Structures are given as structure tokens and as C-alpha cells.
Amino acid sequence: MEIKRKQRKSLGLVTAIMCAFAVPLSAKTITTPGADVGAAVLLSDSKLGKRVCYYNDKAYSLGSVINVEGVVLQCVAEQDFEMNGQLKWKQLKSEQ
């Protein structure tokens, strides 16, 4: 009789723990007034996967060199060991 009482007690504890984790957490939804909910973001397939450096709203390819107010910049790989990683501008020299 004592064993059955302990089994029921432990079963009740296990059930309570399982129910506590099974209760879904409610997510709070925040909306912005005036936002167009149906608006879609379109991505051009031709731009996906291209590695470029940007300056003044223009895209420059790997190896490009530009002069910005006497500062020479080259578009290089951010990580030299990556073949498809991001690019960055690296300062080559300053004209004085």
C-alpha cells in the first residue's frame, strides 16, 4: 500500500513537470502603426551571391582600387583564407 502511494506521488510529480514544459509560451506581437503588412521584399537573383565592396552607393568588385580624398582603398577579402566570404575596404596608402 505504501509503495502504491509513492508510485502515485512520483507519477503526479512527473505529470506536473511534463505539463509545465508543455504549456506554450505566448509571444507578444508588436506592430508598427501605418506599416503596410502586405508589403513584400523582393530580392533580385542577379545580386545574390555577388561579393562586392560598396562606396557612395556603388558596388565595386574584388581587387578594385579607389581614391577617396587622398586615401587609396582596395576591395579585398575580409578573411584571406575564405574563397566566398565578405569583402572589405583596405587602406593601401595615403597621398600627402
Side-chain angles (χ1 to χ4, degrees):
M1 186 110 151
E2 184 67 30
I3 295 175
K4 287 186 181 182
R5 186 178 296 163
K6 285 183 182 180
Q7 286 177 341
R8 274 189 261 143
K9 192 174 185 180
S10 63
L11 180 61
L13 180 62
V14 169
T15 303
I17 292 172
M18 289 177 65
C19 289
F21 287 110
V23 175
L25 300 174
S26 61
K28 185 174 181 181
T29 303
I30 300 173
T31 59
T32 305
D36 185 8
V37 177
V41 177
L42 299 176
L43 298 175
S44 171
D45 288 344
S46 65
K47 303 256 188 239
L48 293 176
K50 287 194 176 180
R51 297 173 37 178
V52 294
C53 292
Y54 288 98
Y55 178 76
N56 203 18
D57 292 330
K58 294 181 184 175
Y60 294 86
S61 62
L62 180 65
S64 297
V65 177
I66 62 173
N67 186 328
V68 180
E69 298 180 11
V71 178
V72 179
L73 300 172
Q74 182 178 20
C75 183
V76 298
E78 197 170 89
Q79 303 290 333
D80 59 353
F81 57 87
E82 293 181 332
M83 297 302 291
N84 61 350
Q86 294 184 346
L87 302 180
K88 69 174 183 176
W89 288 112
K90 178 182 176 186
Q91 184 176 347
L92 294 181
K93 62 181 178 180
S94 296
E95 293 180 4
Q96 301 268 332

